[in-house]
Amino acid sequence: DATNHFDVWKQKELLLRTELDGLKLGAINKRAMAEGVDDDVIEKAMDSDDPKAALIDALVAKAVAKVPDSMDA
């Protein structure tokens, strides 16, 4: 059921955000690099008013991008 898959991924997103929010900025930055977040995205995030939130958003977006298309069905 598509709704059930959506709920599961929303829960995973919330868990990821909670996990990342507990880390220091440097650790989140290292994680973003390790996860393959684009260097330009990381640089823009670090230059933003809230670099921690921007990096977390980038990591969540990267995780969502990895969701297989079959999850949509």
Side-chain angles (χ1 to χ4, degrees):
D1 179 71
T3 303
N4 190 29
H5 289 300
F6 177 77
D7 290 342
V8 168
W9 280 103
K10 290 305 286 181
Q11 287 176 337
K12 288 186 178 196
E13 177 185 339
L14 181 60
L15 287 172
L16 178 59
R17 285 185 180 279
T18 301
E19 174 191 348
L20 294 171
D21 194 50
L23 300 176
K24 293 184 179 184
L25 180 59
I28 299 170
N29 191 357
K30 287 179 185 177
R31 175 112 172 232
M33 290 187 285
E35 292 289 333
V37 174
D38 189 67
D39 289 342
D40 290 339
V41 172
I42 293 173
E43 186 175 332
K44 286 179 184 176
M46 295 301 288
D47 289 341
S48 73
D49 290 338
D50 190 349
K52 185 174 181 176
L55 281 175
I56 289 172
D57 287 345
L59 278 162
V60 169
K62 185 75 170 176
V64 168
K66 292 180 180 178
V67 176
D69 290 337
S70 62
M71 295 294 288
D72 294 336

